[in-house]
Amino acid sequence: MELTHLRPHAAPRTAAVWAVLRGELDRQAGRTLQVVDVGGGTGGFAVPLAEAGHRVTVVDASPDALAALTRRAAEAGVPDRITAVQGDGDRLAGLVEPGSADLVLCHSLLEVVDDPAEVVGALAATLRPGGAA
Ligand SMILES: C[S@@+](CC[C@H](N)C(=O)[O-])C[C@H]1O[C@@H](n2cnc3c(N)ncnc32)[C@H](O)[C@@H]1O
């Protein structure tokens, strides 16, 4: 999928996220990225990123959201590029290999976790050197 066509009709807030994301995808162009989407829900970001060829691990507290994500990934033909992990963003270090991600997403989650600073620290620890959150 051409990255410039990702989410052309998204809502303004989501479009702003995609604008930042596209810049980061361009910066790391030519590589299959390891993406971690914390609080990724039903895959609004994960599925298009997987369709673009990247590998995405979605960590989410909700089994229902992850079930919907798994269905969407299958319908989009990218079930092998998405890994659904049920768990708490506060416990990220035990769920995702530290230093493994090229790109970490965390949209609309920090406002609902118990300790946002702890989660931000865990996001940073998940990134490989040169990766981006
Ligand atoms: C508002 S939705 C955002 C979904 C997606 N990131 C987006 O921007 O479209 C928040 C998501 O965070 C998940 N969530 C809430 N608390 C969480 C926690 N402590 N750890 C991980 N996920 C959590 C919810 O299950 C939900 O899927």
Side-chain angles (χ1 to χ4, degrees):
M1 178 186 292
E2 185 65 39
L3 293 179
T4 52
H5 297 314
L6 285 173
R7 314 304 296 166
H9 304 301
R13 177 172 162 150
T14 306
V17 176
W18 275 111
V20 174
L21 259 179
R22 272 193 291 271
E24 192 52 39
L25 294 171
D26 287 347
R27 187 179 75 82
Q28 301 196 51
R31 306 179 53 228
T32 298
L33 301 183
Q34 302 295 328
V35 182
V36 176
D37 189 356
V38 187
T42 60
F45 292 102
V47 171
L49 287 169
E51 289 178 303
H54 304 295
R55 300 197 172 277
V56 189
T57 297
V58 175
V59 177
D60 200 284
S62 164
D64 288 345
L66 293 175
L69 162 72
T70 301
R71 278 196 304 276
R72 283 178 75 175
E75 285 165 11
V78 292
D80 53 326
R81 292 198 208 123
I82 293 185
T83 303
V85 177
Q86 201 255 320
D88 199 310
D90 294 324
R91 304 270 178 271
L92 193 58
L95 300 171
V96 178
E97 181 75 24
S100 63
D102 300 298
L103 183 61
V104 174
L105 306 181
C106 182
H107 181 244
S108 290
L109 176 69
L110 292 178
E111 49 269 62
V112 299
V113 296
D114 293 335
D115 187 345
E118 184 183 344
V119 174
V120 169
L123 300 180
T126 302
L127 287 170
R128 68 161 176 78

